[in-house]
Amino acid sequence: LVSAAPSLKLHTSPMMGATVEQFERAKSKLSTLKTDPGNEVKLKIYALFKQATQGPCNTPKPGMLDFVNKVKWDTWKSLGSISQV
């Protein structure tokens, strides 16, 4: 999957595996970015984080007037059942 930022590629293949240490290192680097990667990339990172830490989305869909949480939920739910590992 290629995001709106041309130099940033997010791979969500179930064959891709990362250690917890690698994941934590990548997560800590997010706060050091000099430029904002944009909402689309941040949503994908959020969804991948939720998938990695909690597994497939199993929470009820937020109400239609809860715009921010609905978009986050939709993005997480779109990952389906790719593995946590």
Side-chain angles (χ1 to χ4, degrees), residues 5-7 10 14 16 19 24 26 40-41 46-48 51 53 55 71 83:
S7 63
L10 298 174
M16 184 186 89
T19 66
E24 291 299 325
E40 184 180 330
V41 171
Y46 168 82
L48 291 169
Q51 189 81 12
T53 58
V71 170
S83 72

Side-chain angles (χ1 to χ4, degrees), residues 5-58:
S7 63
L8 181 61
K9 293 181 182 179
L10 298 174
H11 302 278
T12 58
S13 165
M15 297 302 289
M16 184 186 89
T19 66
V20 172
E21 181 181 314
Q22 289 170 318
F23 181 81
E24 291 299 325
R25 230 184 346 220
K27 188 173 84 170
S28 71
K29 288 183 180 183
L30 287 176
S31 62
T32 65
L33 294 176
K34 294 188 186 321
T35 58
D36 188 330
N39 287 337
E40 184 180 330
V41 171
K42 290 188 281 188
L43 278 169
K44 192 67 170 180
I45 291 168
Y46 168 82
L48 291 169
F49 172 78
K50 294 292 275 187
Q51 189 81 12
T53 58
Q54 297 182 23
C57 181
N58 61 358

Side-chain angles (χ1 to χ4, degrees), residues 49-70:
F49 172 78
K50 294 292 275 187
Q51 189 81 12
T53 58
Q54 297 182 23
C57 181
N58 61 358
T59 61
K61 186 174 188 173
M64 70 179 191
L65 296 178
D66 188 354
F67 301 112
V68 172
N69 287 320
K70 184 180 175 304

